[in-house]
Amino acid sequence: MKLEPSTTPPADPGPENPDLQRQNRSSFNPPRSDEGDVKNFRYPFAFSHNRVTPDAGWARQVTVRDMPIATTVAGVNMRLEKGAIRELHWHIPAEWAYIITGRVRITGVDFEGRAFVDDLGPGDLWYFPAGIPHSIQAISDDGSEFLLAFDDGAFSEFDTFLITDWFNHIPRDVLVQNLGWPPSAFDKLPPEELYIFAAKTPGSLEDDKKAAIGPQGEVPCPFSHRLLAQPPDRRTPSGEVHIADSRNFKASITIAVAHVCVRPGAMRELHWHPNADEWQYYIAGNARMTVFEGGAKARTIDFHPGDVGYIQKSLPHYIQNTGDSDLEFLEIFKADKYQDVSLNQWLSHLPPQLVESHLNIPPGLVQKLPKEKQVIIPPNGPAK
């Protein structure tokens, strides 16, 4: 698509990385509206160290150590091969997830001994509250890849409480007494944590549920949610938005999310979020975003699949589809409810003369703005 023209591209006769420069055109040759020193708000997962377990899977993360601006949410991109298990574990922060490809079986047990077992696929979510022990196992032939988000930007996925690591740091007689198993049961205990490991594909979901759920029953609020199976919260010819927060995904009390799809030439409208910072994950397509910090400071950055974006609370921004295919991304917030404020809706709910006096615009333009929130703006402007 045709973007707003910038100044004449600057000369660059010295050393360069052509591939990165092509991906970051708006940084090297920014629009004239950019100004001032704005902190970097993009970090590609491709820059992250990948922890690989051969024939089982891998995991890489983006935390505040990689992206200093991202203080409220940390993210992990993980893949499990068929049958592979993310070891039984729990965390200090809560864990939220979005499945990108494949299917998984998840398990969890709450503080009252109520169990949960479910199978999930692409577009589904799970959420485990802080301290809830759980596991993840890939059950489809092509394995599974998913995004994890934690409600603490400083949390490291590699510092979790793992059952094998814990057992290796408890006196053997204590394990025997606590579990009532013979000492020989621990002879083949793995000498170090498993983290991600290969295993047999499980049997039927019904059999696993029957084995796991005891007299306490199931958890009252499921730890899973079918995000993309729900009706879109907003659908237009230019795109659609699905939202999940504590109002429709009861378990998810600290993470709210929007899955956004923007058609070529369209844009996620100018807006801001008043209740939380926004952690983004780009799934497909190409985009550019300008973040305005106030005090005559603004910066534009390009985004591509696998990138993480981060916008601090109340900073206005947009996300424009700059490619020729659909743009798909997640907006993730450390909040119980999703909230945003639309520029167009704000202006359309003011006395027209007040807006005209500020912007020195001709009479009648404010009245043409739709009073309903647009969310996604078509290439030729707001729907009338």
Side-chain angles (χ1 to χ4, degrees):
M1 65 176 295
K2 186 176 180 180
L3 302 180
E4 173 190 328
S6 300
T7 56
T8 302
D12 185 17
E16 63 178 33
N17 186 323
D19 292 335
L20 279 180
Q21 195 154 295
R22 277 193 297 270
Q23 290 186 21
N24 297 279
R25 291 174 297 177
S26 295
S27 292
F28 185 67
N29 188 30
R32 290 189 292 266
S33 51
D34 278 15
E35 186 175 351
D37 184 18
V38 177
K39 293 178 182 177
N40 175 54
F41 48 87
R42 173 194 177 225
Y43 191 92
F45 263 112
F47 286 175
S48 299
H49 169 73
N50 202 14
R51 180 175 177 177
V52 179
T53 301
D55 302 320
W58 49 258
R60 53 188 179 176
Q61 65 180 0
V62 175
T63 74
V64 71
R65 289 170 286 278
D66 309 293
M67 196 179 188
I69 195 175
T71 58
T72 62
V73 174
V76 173
N77 179 208
M78 184 177 290
R79 174 165 178 79
L80 300 177
E81 301 297 342
K82 179 182 179 181
I85 298 173
R86 171 65 172 92
E87 181 181 349
L88 286 163
H89 67 287
W90 72 98
H91 316 276
I92 293 176
E95 174 184 300
W96 174 100
Y98 174 87
I99 300 180
I100 302 168
T101 65
R103 295 184 61 77
V104 299
R105 179 163 301 171
I106 59 172
T107 71
V109 179
D110 74 3
F111 57 91
E112 291 189 6
R114 296 172 295 194
F116 183 77
V117 186
D118 199 8
D119 289 351
L120 305 177
D124 292 343
L125 312 178
W126 74 72
Y127 178 92
F128 292 114
I132 295 296
H134 56 280
S135 68
I136 312 155
Q137 183 172 17
I139 59 175
S140 51
D141 289 342
D142 57 348
S144 179
E145 184 173 342
F146 42 88
L147 177 78
L148 304 172
F150 301 90
D151 58 6
D152 178 356
F155 175 73
S156 173
E157 161 70 6
F158 307 134
D159 293 330
T160 55
F161 300 106
L162 303 173
I163 193 169
T164 53
D165 188 31
W166 185 27
F167 273 31
N168 276 304
H169 292 85
I170 299 174
R172 189 61 51 87
D173 65 300
V174 173
L175 284 174
V176 169
Q177 180 180 350
N178 190 87
L179 296 171
W181 296 347
S184 60
F186 304 99
D187 289 348
K188 296 183 179 180
L189 183 68
E192 57 186 21
E193 66 182 44
L194 293 173
Y195 185 64
I196 292 174
F197 64 100
K200 294 181 180 179
T201 306
S204 72
L205 176 62
E206 292 72 22
D207 287 346
D208 274 6
K209 280 187 172 183
K210 185 177 179 180
I213 297 171
Q216 298 86 356
E218 294 188 77
V219 295
C221 296
F223 294 140
S224 60
H225 179 75
R226 273 68 179 174
L227 176 64
L228 296 191
Q230 72 183 39
D233 293 83
R234 182 72 178 178
R235 171 177 281 166
T236 74
S238 295
E240 58 188 38
V241 180
H242 295 76
I243 296 172
D245 60 19
S246 61
R247 289 169 288 196
N248 61 348
F249 184 11
K250 301 297 184 183
S252 188
I253 57 175
T254 65
I255 296 286
V257 65
H259 176 280
V260 184
C261 180
V262 181
R263 309 286 182 236
M267 61 180 278
R268 174 75 172 89
E269 68 175 336
L270 285 159
H271 68 285
W272 65 93
H273 303 278
N275 64 329
D277 294 0
E278 176 181 350
W279 196 97
Q280 300 174 332
Y281 178 69
Y282 287 82
I283 300 170
N286 298 295
R288 76 167 181 172
M289 175 169 62
T290 299
V291 173
F292 173 63
E293 281 195 358
K297 292 187 293 184
R299 183 176 180 182
T300 304
I301 294 181
D302 300 295
F303 289 83
H304 310 281
D307 284 352
V308 172
Y310 194 89
I311 305 96
Q312 292 172 304
K313 181 168 66 175
S314 289
L315 297 190
H317 56 286
Y318 65 89
I319 303 99
Q320 185 178 34
N321 186 337
T322 57
D324 55 9
S325 61
D326 285 354
L327 170 67
E328 182 184 357
F329 64 95
L330 297 170
E331 302 176 357
I332 301 172
F333 306 86
K334 183 180 178 179
D336 65 333
K337 294 181 177 65
Y338 178 92
Q339 296 180 0
D340 71 339
V341 179
S342 159
L343 169 65
N344 287 11
Q345 194 169 41
W346 177 35
L347 295 180
S348 70
H349 285 74
L350 295 172
Q353 186 176 341
L354 179 65
V355 181
E356 293 163 5
S357 298
H358 278 78
L359 303 179
N360 195 26
I361 58 175
L365 290 181
V366 175
Q367 292 92 324
K368 294 181 178 180
L369 289 172
K371 289 188 178 293
E372 295 297 322
K373 187 179 294 186
Q374 298 296 289
V375 183
I376 298 173
I377 305 290
N380 296 323
K384 300 297 189 289

